[in-house]
Amino acid sequence: EQIQHAAIGVPGVVDLREGRIWQALNIPALDGFPAHDRFGAALGCPVTLENDIHLAAFGEQRAGRGRDAASFCFLSVGTGVGAGLVLRGEL
């Protein structure tokens, strides 16, 4: 009852118009998954979908090493390679 909105980081490309995940190469079952609708229904609140590495870059900008940088690249190397860019303070 207290959660009013959820931000969910997912792997792959987030289609904001359809609320689906595409090209999650390390989790093939997510390809085309209607994440926005499914997470919203499961949580019972509005949700915002974003790429997980983009959210990591946002976290670094707000509370990490990127606080004092106007522009930087957050690079993730794990099961895949991803990057989040902050340019002139904008994700």
Side-chain angles (χ1 to χ4, degrees):
E1 293 177 7
Q2 295 179 0
I3 297 175
Q4 299 194 14
H5 195 105
I8 300 171
V10 297
V13 176
V14 177
D15 181 337
L16 297 176
R17 287 181 290 162
E18 293 187 19
R20 293 181 182 272
I21 301 169
W22 299 103
Q23 299 177 24
L25 302 178
N26 57 334
I27 308 175
L30 288 180
D31 200 43
F33 181 71
H36 186 271
D37 292 343
R38 297 279 180 91
F39 283 123
L43 296 172
C45 67
V47 298
T48 298
L49 293 180
E50 183 58 76
N51 174 271
D52 55 354
I53 304 306
H54 292 178
L55 287 180
F58 182 72
E60 285 297 322
Q61 179 191 33
R62 296 293 184 206
R65 300 286 298 207
R67 283 188 309 247
D68 298 325
S71 299
F72 66 91
C73 175
F74 180 96
L75 181 63
S76 172
V77 179
T79 55
V81 176
L85 294 174
V86 173
L87 302 174
R88 293 180 293 284
E90 298 292 323
L91 180 64

